[in-house]
Amino acid sequence: MTTLDRDETRTPTVPPRPVVVGRPLPLRVAVPMAVAAGLALLVAFPPYGVWPLAPVGVALLAAAAHRRRLRAGAGLGFLTGVALFAPLLAWTNLHTGYLPWVLLSLLQAGYLALLGAATAWVSPLTDRSRWAWPALTGLLWVGQEALRDRTPFGGFPWGRLAFSQDSSPLLRLAALGGAPLVTFAVALIGGLLVTAAWRGFTAVRQTPPGGETVRRWLPVAVPAAAAVALGAVGLLVPVASAGSGAPVTVAIVQGNVPRLGLDFNAQRQAVLNNHVDATLELAARVAAGTQRQPDLVVWPENSSDIDPLRNPTAGARIAQAADTVRAPILVGAVLLGPGPGEVRNAGILWRPDTGADLSQLYTKRHPVPFAEYVPLRDVARMVSKQVDLIRNDFVPGSTPGVVRAGPAVLGDVICFEVAYDEVVRDTVTGGAQLLVVQTNNATFDVAEARQQLAMVRLRAVEHGRAALMASTVGVSGFVAPDGRVSDATGFNTREVVVREMRLDDGRTLATRLGWWPELALAGLAAAALVGAAVLRRRQRVLPG
């Protein structure tokens, strides 16, 4: 056999699979798309609640940033972030001036800038395999939210995709993997939409006139149908409509404040009196037989900004309410100490006859930076003198909000803590049978309150627990384990609502898995970024 014959019998070398690379969309198209993406995402959240627009917003940003340079992708993501967060967080501008609102909005938009850059970075992967586009989109969104939820100063999870789906079938997915799985599903649908649209655009351009219609539209129909099917898949996830345990009658007292705004602190005696008087009126209705006897009464955050453990008058008023209604009251109180110049935002159980039960006291674990405490105060003061309005820093608690109230074990979280996965989960794994969110919306507006209620709905489904939100001014209400809201109150009104709820001791798959779904999805997002780097390097060294 000759050398030529031997060469001909060798297995031919398989050339690298070519990557079809085209042009990105023109900037004159991509920029309006990025802005439209932010607006579509905005309208998906309460108070608008048009949840199907969330995946549309995801798709618009994915298309706008595809095949861009990193700087351009970051810029487009930033435009989306500003269009989303500036109006979504407008309630932070109501009583504190524009500066906190602007800074917070720009900071949150910065994370979407990172998302835009990451979307541009993984473009070679999506060009290599168009069917990878949906999964990559979902993974990058989860990774971005995992970072934003934790940095800086503990993060700010407001505006997560999952929180836009409170009325969507996808909400049920929270029972399997919590908020990260819901976010992944929303972004995955967005990825399917952009895949369908991009393939359709390519098919129209490349298919010659008179070409096969099936060949032209099949690549569009398949991802589009998959997006619709995935949107309905949540209906297959079983969730309970009520707890399976003992019934408990709970009253929410929404006492209201004399005036909305930051000076609710100056009205603290009036706010306390409002909640005491509303509870006494409830007791009178119970005595008259027109209202059932509650087993538990829940007051909101800041219902007693006068420390009832140190102020005898405040303590006497709360004791009067508890003794008259003949039920323990979970009071939202500001407590002085433990150190000089320090305060605590707490939920404390006040029992009839015996008073404050210091063994059942929860101190807020996640105070809000620049609202309840000021990190880097000297530096922050150079940005705004308003930081000195916060004279005393709230100190965080160290234990989950598991409050044993007698008839029920409560999972107490305070205000913005409902947005943090681990804070709520820790109460359930600690034995909570009923989720309670104490909040004060007197410095915000009804849009913020409804956004917060959407988070409560997700938490109820995530952990299979009945839940409630008690606010000083609204919106307060009860939430079933399937996310349905009952007896929601009006905003800036004084109301008392009473409802029988069923407790539950079970654990959903999401509760058992904890943070593992988010860790797995975020890890895959990091792996995708590394994979894109490898592919980019190979493309640079290929000959020709």
Side-chain angles (χ1 to χ4, degrees):
M1 182 179 293
T2 66
T3 302
L4 181 60
D5 292 335
R6 285 196 301 269
D7 289 342
E8 289 177 347
T9 60
R10 292 175 182 172
T11 303
T13 302
V14 179
R17 180 181 176 185
V19 178
V20 180
V21 179
R23 295 178 178 273
L25 294 175
L27 270 179
R28 66 179 183 275
V29 175
V31 168
M33 285 179 66
V35 174
L39 296 177
L41 291 168
L42 169 69
V43 176
F45 287 91
Y48 313 103
V50 189
W51 55 264
L53 287 181
V56 174
V58 170
L60 288 171
L61 176 58
H66 185 52
R67 294 174 179 164
R68 294 281 169 198
R69 294 184 182 272
L70 295 186
R71 185 180 301 177
L76 292 168
F78 187 77
L79 286 177
T80 298
V82 171
L84 166 61
F85 287 112
L88 185 73
L89 302 178
W91 44 266
T92 63
N93 184 34
L94 295 178
H95 307 288
T96 60
Y98 73 90
L99 188 59
W101 165 58
V102 170
L103 293 178
L104 182 60
S105 299
L106 294 179
L107 174 63
Q108 300 308 302
Y111 287 92
L112 288 197
L114 292 177
L115 176 64
T119 301
W121 179 255
V122 301
S123 295
L125 292 178
T126 56
D127 284 326
R128 186 179 183 88
S129 175
R130 190 72 68 202
W131 289 108
W133 206 346
L136 287 169
T137 303
L139 293 174
L140 293 180
W141 270 93
V142 173
Q144 173 265 140
E145 289 187 357
L147 184 64
R148 188 166 66 85
D149 298 351
R150 292 167 174 83
T151 60
F153 310 115
F156 188 70
W158 219 271
R160 297 169 74 176
L161 287 182
F163 296 152
S164 70
Q165 301 298 297
D166 59 316
S167 299
S168 162
L170 295 178
L171 182 69
R172 290 171 168 247
L173 295 177
L176 303 180
L181 183 60
V182 178
T183 285
F184 178 74
V186 174
L188 182 65
I189 293 173
L192 287 167
L193 293 178
V194 73
T195 300
W198 200 281
R199 280 176 166 264
F201 178 72
T202 303
V204 169
R205 292 183 60 187
Q206 295 182 352
T207 304
E212 296 182 29
T213 303
V214 173
R215 178 176 294 183
R216 174 184 293 187
W217 294 112
L218 188 61
V220 179
V222 172
V228 174
L230 183 58
V233 75
L235 297 174
L236 303 177
V237 179
V239 294
S241 60
S244 57
V248 59
T249 301
V250 183
I252 300 174
V253 175
Q254 179 180 299
N256 207 12
V257 301
R259 296 178 304 280
L260 296 175
L262 289 178
D263 65 342
F264 77 90
N265 283 308
Q267 314 165 49
R268 52 187 182 169
Q269 184 63 60
V271 174
L272 174 58
N273 288 338
N274 282 357
H275 287 84
V276 171
D277 294 343
T279 305
L280 296 177
E281 292 168 6
L282 168 64
R285 293 195 295 272
V286 171
T290 59
Q291 182 59 269
R292 73 179 80 182
Q293 170 66 48
D295 300 307
L296 172 70
V297 178
V298 179
W299 287 5
E301 177 191 28
N302 297 123
S303 50
S304 180
D305 275 353
I306 306 171
D307 186 346
L309 303 181
R310 302 195 183 208
N311 187 298
T313 302
R317 289 243 64 194
I318 298 172
Q320 178 190 9
D323 294 346
T324 305
V325 79
R326 306 306 303 166
I329 302 176
L330 183 64
V331 179
V334 174
L335 306 179
L336 302 178
E342 295 179 335
V343 289
R344 289 169 289 163
N345 192 347
I348 181 170
L349 194 68
W350 209 282
R351 299 185 187 274
D353 300 327
T354 59
D357 185 347
L358 298 183
S359 69
Q360 303 303 319
L361 185 153
Y362 168 60
T363 299
K364 186 176 183 179
R365 297 166 63 194
H366 204 300
V368 180
F370 304 104
E372 293 178 311
Y373 76 100
V374 181
L376 308 174
R377 185 180 287 269
D378 291 340
V379 177
R381 189 180 291 114
M382 291 188 289
V383 178
S384 173
K385 300 294 185 183
Q386 289 184 332
V387 298
D388 289 328
L389 293 174
I390 305 170
R391 297 184 180 89
N392 299 319
D393 286 337
F394 282 81
V395 295
S398 58
T399 57
V402 180
V403 178
R404 304 183 185 281
V409 181
L410 309 179
D412 187 22
V413 297
I414 297 177
C415 200
F416 288 4
E417 287 187 318
V418 70
Y420 296 89
D421 298 345
E422 68 281 358
V423 175
V424 182
R425 185 188 307 119
D426 286 349
T427 70
V428 178
T429 57
Q433 302 167 310
L434 174 68
L435 298 179
V436 173
V437 179
Q438 295 177 288
T439 187
N440 173 27
N441 308 108
T443 58
F444 305 128
D445 61 11
V446 67
E448 183 272 346
R450 294 199 177 278
Q451 290 163 17
Q452 200 169 26
L453 184 61
M455 302 176 195
V456 181
R457 297 179 70 177
L458 183 138
R459 298 307 179 194
V461 175
E462 179 181 12
H463 299 293
R465 293 288 188 278
L468 63 89
M469 186 165 95
S471 170
T472 48
V473 299
V475 175
S476 304
F478 299 97
V479 181
D482 61 1
R484 288 178 298 110
V485 178
S486 302
D487 302 319
T489 64
F491 189 76
N492 198 19
T493 60
R494 177 164 143 181
E495 297 187 48
V496 176
V497 287
V498 182
R499 191 171 187 85
E500 182 180 273
M501 310 181 78
R502 285 196 171 271
L503 308 177
D504 206 311
D505 294 302
R507 295 190 181 185
T508 63
L509 180 62
T511 306
R512 293 195 294 269
L513 291 175
W515 59 298
W516 285 107
E518 182 179 43
L519 180 64
L521 294 170
L524 289 173
L529 295 175
V530 173
V534 172
L535 185 57
R536 283 173 172 268
R537 186 174 182 277
R538 287 179 178 175
Q539 289 176 355
R540 283 198 300 268
V541 301
L542 283 177

